[in-house]
Amino acid sequence: MASLRKNYIYNLTYQVLTLVTPFITTPYVSRVLEADNIGINSYVASIVNYFTLFGVLGMGLFGQREIAFYQKDIKEKSKIFWNLFIMRFCTVSFFLVAYLVTVFFMRQYQLIFQLQTISIICCYFECTWFLAGEENFKVIVNRDIVFKALSVILVFVLVKTKDDLWKMVLMNCGLGLLGNISIFAYVLHKVEKVSVKELSPFKYFKPVLLLFIPQIAIEIYTVLDKSMIGFITKNPYENGCYEQAMKLIRMLTVVVTSLGTVIVPRMAALYAEGEMDKLKGYITKSFTFVLALALPMLAGLWGIADIFVPIFFGSGYDKVVPLLKILSFLFIIIGFSNVIGMQFLIATKKEKAFTISVTVGAGVNFCLNIFMITLWGAIGAAIASVIAEFSVTLVQYIYAHKTIDKKGIAKGSIRYLIASACMFALLKLMKYFFPPSLPFLLLMVAVCAFIYAVLIVLMGDTLFVPALKRKIFRK
């Protein structure tokens, strides 16, 4: 079994890369393409997501968990891989044809819809779930480093004017396809050939479908909002601002949820071995980890949003400021949901509870979107998203509250709340003495991050400091 610490470092490297890459390209792209084209791309991508979602069903999450259960059994892992590959080939092919028929009748943005066909083709070769189930994150990270570096270079080379949206879409889709093919080729060397008699791909259909149902619900309150903004407002600008705000929030949220990606296979393995006490210990640490990162991120974004947005996105994105403040609450809400839903409910095969929670969230989001978007456009969609995510987390908590050490989490996290409040006060104070500029913004972030780190150390941090001491002692 791979080291959890090493896997976390690999995954954190990937998440940081995912975070840094858009920070390099987004200021440039937002200025060149402008809000309207960003909105068009967001709207088209939201439609394409439905076809890819139905094409892959819940096979990635299901496959990762099944591989985790049989980490040491190469024969069983090979059967799982080939069964899911055949099943996915059939479902993706069906929805690829359905997408092509749909695009034929589209009147707007025809070229962008056609180029996005590549995104569906990518699904044939997506098999990072196999490596994640083996807790082999090194290969995934190395692949992404290469292709994200290429994407950064190509953005500046290809995207020069407002009319180059199609080039950016083609580049992103093409690199995604090449990246998936490279991982697929690697995985082929890690599995054995399996005779046709031993294969029965559609035996997994029911359990995959059980995991797919919640993914449909998740898609409703993560992608449907963009579709509904475009459909209700008929205004690409609203979608463009919402896309930029949500993109930034999602980029930052991966820092909070980064531990979950590597801990799910470990939780599944502990559950299979009956090690419930260790499993509960991991849950407590995961909650503390979320609060240690989410609270200062929330405070920081509220403190610098009005300075950050014009510097980062350029002019014409004023509405992104209130959107970021509203959506920043998702750092904590999604972080908690990731711990309860993904790390506990899914890892311990409690799919029914997980399905109910996200179905409730989807229903809440859809109903609120109908009148909130009509009244307030993108702002209404942001409020609806926060309420929907909160409803998901609340339902999941109801199912898992007996497993959660509430007193232990509260006791371990109070220092992070105090340090975040102090950091926010410092941000507000600094804004009175310095003019808004990029150097000032970087100074604010650096100083406040340092102050936050010093404060939690002085208050007796039990999460990061002990791990750092152990690492130094070993060296």
Side-chain angles (χ1 to χ4, degrees), residues 440-466:
F440 169 56
L441 180 63
L442 296 175
L443 176 65
M444 288 176 69
V445 172
V447 169
C448 288
F450 176 75
I451 294 298
Y452 178 78
V454 170
L455 287 174
I456 64 173
V457 169
L458 293 176
M459 287 187 285
D461 171 65
T462 58
L463 188 64
F464 300 106
V465 173

Short mmCIF file of all heavy atoms in Angstrom, two decimals, residues 440-466:
data_model
loop_
_atom_site.label_atom_id
_atom_site.label_comp_id
_atom_site.label_asym_id
_atom_site.label_seq_id
_atom_site.Cartn_x
_atom_site.Cartn_y
_atom_site.Cartn_z
N PHE A 440 0.99 45.59 -4.10
CA PHE A 440 0.31 45.68 -2.81
C PHE A 440 -0.51 44.43 -2.54
O PHE A 440 -0.54 43.90 -1.42
CB PHE A 440 -0.58 46.92 -2.78
CG PHE A 440 -1.52 46.96 -1.62
CD1 PHE A 440 -1.05 46.88 -0.31
CD2 PHE A 440 -2.89 47.09 -1.82
CE1 PHE A 440 -1.91 46.91 0.76
CE2 PHE A 440 -3.76 47.11 -0.75
CZ PHE A 440 -3.28 47.03 0.55
N LEU A 441 -1.18 43.94 -3.56
CA LEU A 441 -1.99 42.73 -3.40
C LEU A 441 -1.13 41.54 -3.00
O LEU A 441 -1.47 40.78 -2.08
CB LEU A 441 -2.72 42.42 -4.71
CG LEU A 441 -3.62 41.17 -4.72
CD1 LEU A 441 -4.75 41.31 -3.73
CD2 LEU A 441 -4.16 40.93 -6.13
N LEU A 442 0.01 41.38 -3.66
CA LEU A 442 0.92 40.28 -3.32
C LEU A 442 1.48 40.44 -1.91
O LEU A 442 1.62 39.45 -1.18
CB LEU A 442 2.07 40.23 -4.34
CG LEU A 442 1.67 39.91 -5.79
CD1 LEU A 442 2.88 40.01 -6.71
CD2 LEU A 442 1.05 38.52 -5.87
N LEU A 443 1.77 41.68 -1.54
CA LEU A 443 2.26 41.95 -0.18
C LEU A 443 1.21 41.59 0.85
O LEU A 443 1.52 40.95 1.88
CB LEU A 443 2.64 43.42 -0.05
CG LEU A 443 3.08 43.87 1.34
CD1 LEU A 443 4.39 43.18 1.73
CD2 LEU A 443 3.24 45.40 1.39
N MET A 444 -0.04 41.96 0.61
CA MET A 444 -1.13 41.64 1.53
C MET A 444 -1.26 40.14 1.73
O MET A 444 -1.39 39.64 2.86
CB MET A 444 -2.45 42.20 0.98
CG MET A 444 -2.59 43.69 1.04
SD MET A 444 -4.14 44.25 0.26
CE MET A 444 -5.35 43.63 1.43
N VAL A 445 -1.25 39.40 0.63
CA VAL A 445 -1.41 37.95 0.70
C VAL A 445 -0.26 37.32 1.47
O VAL A 445 -0.46 36.47 2.35
CB VAL A 445 -1.51 37.34 -0.72
CG1 VAL A 445 -1.48 35.82 -0.65
CG2 VAL A 445 -2.77 37.82 -1.42
N ALA A 446 0.96 37.74 1.18
CA ALA A 446 2.15 37.17 1.82
C ALA A 446 2.16 37.48 3.33
O ALA A 446 2.40 36.59 4.15
CB ALA A 446 3.41 37.71 1.17
N VAL A 447 1.90 38.74 3.68
CA VAL A 447 1.92 39.13 5.10
C VAL A 447 0.84 38.41 5.88
O VAL A 447 1.10 37.88 6.98
CB VAL A 447 1.75 40.66 5.23
CG1 VAL A 447 1.51 41.05 6.69
CG2 VAL A 447 2.98 41.37 4.69
N CYS A 448 -0.36 38.36 5.33
CA CYS A 448 -1.48 37.74 6.05
C CYS A 448 -1.29 36.22 6.17
O CYS A 448 -1.65 35.64 7.21
CB CYS A 448 -2.79 38.06 5.36
SG CYS A 448 -3.27 39.79 5.57
N ALA A 449 -0.75 35.59 5.15
CA ALA A 449 -0.46 34.15 5.24
C ALA A 449 0.57 33.89 6.33
O ALA A 449 0.45 32.93 7.11
CB ALA A 449 0.03 33.62 3.90
N PHE A 450 1.58 34.75 6.41
CA PHE A 450 2.62 34.60 7.44
C PHE A 450 2.02 34.79 8.83
O PHE A 450 2.30 34.02 9.75
CB PHE A 450 3.74 35.61 7.19
CG PHE A 450 4.80 35.61 8.26
CD1 PHE A 450 5.74 34.58 8.32
CD2 PHE A 450 4.85 36.63 9.21
CE1 PHE A 450 6.71 34.57 9.32
CE2 PHE A 450 5.82 36.63 10.20
CZ PHE A 450 6.75 35.60 10.26
N ILE A 451 1.20 35.83 8.99
CA ILE A 451 0.57 36.11 10.29
C ILE A 451 -0.33 34.95 10.70
O ILE A 451 -0.33 34.53 11.87
CB ILE A 451 -0.25 37.42 10.22
CG1 ILE A 451 0.69 38.61 10.02
CG2 ILE A 451 -1.09 37.58 11.48
CD1 ILE A 451 1.69 38.81 11.14
N TYR A 452 -1.08 34.41 9.76
CA TYR A 452 -1.96 33.27 10.07
C TYR A 452 -1.13 32.08 10.56
O TYR A 452 -1.47 31.44 11.56
CB TYR A 452 -2.76 32.88 8.82
CG TYR A 452 -3.66 31.67 9.03
CD1 TYR A 452 -4.86 31.79 9.70
CD2 TYR A 452 -3.30 30.40 8.55
CE1 TYR A 452 -5.69 30.69 9.89
CE2 TYR A 452 -4.10 29.31 8.75
CZ TYR A 452 -5.31 29.46 9.41
OH TYR A 452 -6.11 28.36 9.62
N ALA A 453 -0.03 31.78 9.86
CA ALA A 453 0.82 30.66 10.24
C ALA A 453 1.41 30.86 11.64
O ALA A 453 1.43 29.94 12.47
CB ALA A 453 1.93 30.47 9.22
N VAL A 454 1.87 32.08 11.91
CA VAL A 454 2.46 32.38 13.23
C VAL A 454 1.41 32.22 14.33
O VAL A 454 1.68 31.64 15.40
CB VAL A 454 3.05 33.80 13.25
CG1 VAL A 454 3.43 34.21 14.67
CG2 VAL A 454 4.26 33.88 12.33
N LEU A 455 0.21 32.72 14.08
CA LEU A 455 -0.84 32.67 15.10
C LEU A 455 -1.23 31.24 15.44
O LEU A 455 -1.40 30.90 16.63
CB LEU A 455 -2.07 33.45 14.63
CG LEU A 455 -1.94 34.98 14.63
CD1 LEU A 455 -3.16 35.63 14.01
CD2 LEU A 455 -1.72 35.49 16.04
N ILE A 456 -1.39 30.37 14.44
CA ILE A 456 -1.81 29.00 14.76
C ILE A 456 -0.69 28.23 15.46
O ILE A 456 -0.96 27.35 16.28
CB ILE A 456 -2.30 28.24 13.51
CG1 ILE A 456 -1.17 28.04 12.48
CG2 ILE A 456 -3.50 28.93 12.88
CD1 ILE A 456 -1.57 27.14 11.33
N VAL A 457 0.56 28.58 15.15
CA VAL A 457 1.67 27.95 15.87
C VAL A 457 1.67 28.39 17.33
O VAL A 457 1.81 27.58 18.25
CB VAL A 457 3.02 28.30 15.20
CG1 VAL A 457 4.18 27.86 16.11
CG2 VAL A 457 3.14 27.63 13.85
N LEU A 458 1.48 29.69 17.57
CA LEU A 458 1.45 30.21 18.93
C LEU A 458 0.28 29.65 19.74
O LEU A 458 0.37 29.50 20.96
CB LEU A 458 1.37 31.74 18.91
CG LEU A 458 2.62 32.48 18.38
CD1 LEU A 458 2.36 33.98 18.32
CD2 LEU A 458 3.84 32.16 19.23
N MET A 459 -0.81 29.34 19.04
CA MET A 459 -1.99 28.80 19.74
C MET A 459 -1.95 27.28 19.85
O MET A 459 -2.92 26.66 20.27
CB MET A 459 -3.27 29.25 19.02
CG MET A 459 -3.60 30.71 19.24
SD MET A 459 -5.20 31.20 18.56
CE MET A 459 -4.83 31.26 16.82
N GLY A 460 -0.84 26.66 19.44
CA GLY A 460 -0.68 25.22 19.64
C GLY A 460 -1.32 24.36 18.57
O GLY A 460 -2.08 23.43 18.89
N ASP A 461 -1.02 24.66 17.32
CA ASP A 461 -1.55 23.86 16.21
C ASP A 461 -1.22 22.38 16.40
O ASP A 461 -0.09 22.01 16.74
CB ASP A 461 -0.96 24.35 14.89
CG ASP A 461 -1.29 23.42 13.74
OD1 ASP A 461 -2.47 23.30 13.41
OD2 ASP A 461 -0.35 22.81 13.21
N THR A 462 -2.22 21.51 16.18
CA THR A 462 -2.03 20.06 16.34
C THR A 462 -2.09 19.31 15.02
O THR A 462 -2.05 18.09 15.01
CB THR A 462 -3.12 19.49 17.27
OG1 THR A 462 -4.42 19.79 16.72
CG2 THR A 462 -3.02 20.08 18.67
N LEU A 463 -2.18 20.04 13.91
CA LEU A 463 -2.33 19.39 12.62
C LEU A 463 -1.06 19.48 11.78
O LEU A 463 -0.50 18.46 11.37
CB LEU A 463 -3.50 20.02 11.86
CG LEU A 463 -3.92 19.33 10.55
CD1 LEU A 463 -4.45 17.93 10.84
CD2 LEU A 463 -4.98 20.16 9.85
N PHE A 464 -0.58 20.70 11.54
CA PHE A 464 0.56 20.90 10.66
C PHE A 464 1.90 20.85 11.39
O PHE A 464 2.86 20.26 10.90
CB PHE A 464 0.42 22.23 9.92
CG PHE A 464 -0.81 22.34 9.09
CD1 PHE A 464 -1.87 23.14 9.49
CD2 PHE A 464 -0.92 21.65 7.90
CE1 PHE A 464 -3.02 23.24 8.72
CE2 PHE A 464 -2.06 21.73 7.12
CZ PHE A 464 -3.12 22.53 7.54
N VAL A 465 1.96 21.48 12.56
CA VAL A 465 3.23 21.57 13.28
C VAL A 465 3.78 20.21 13.68
O VAL A 465 4.97 19.93 13.45
CB VAL A 465 3.09 22.48 14.52
CG1 VAL A 465 4.37 22.45 15.36
CG2 VAL A 465 2.78 23.91 14.09
N PRO A 466 2.96 19.29 14.28
CA PRO A 466 3.51 17.97 14.61
C PRO A 466 4.04 17.22 13.41
O PRO A 466 5.07 16.56 13.48
CB PRO A 466 2.30 17.25 15.23
CG PRO A 466 1.44 18.35 15.76
CD PRO A 466 1.58 19.46 14.77
#
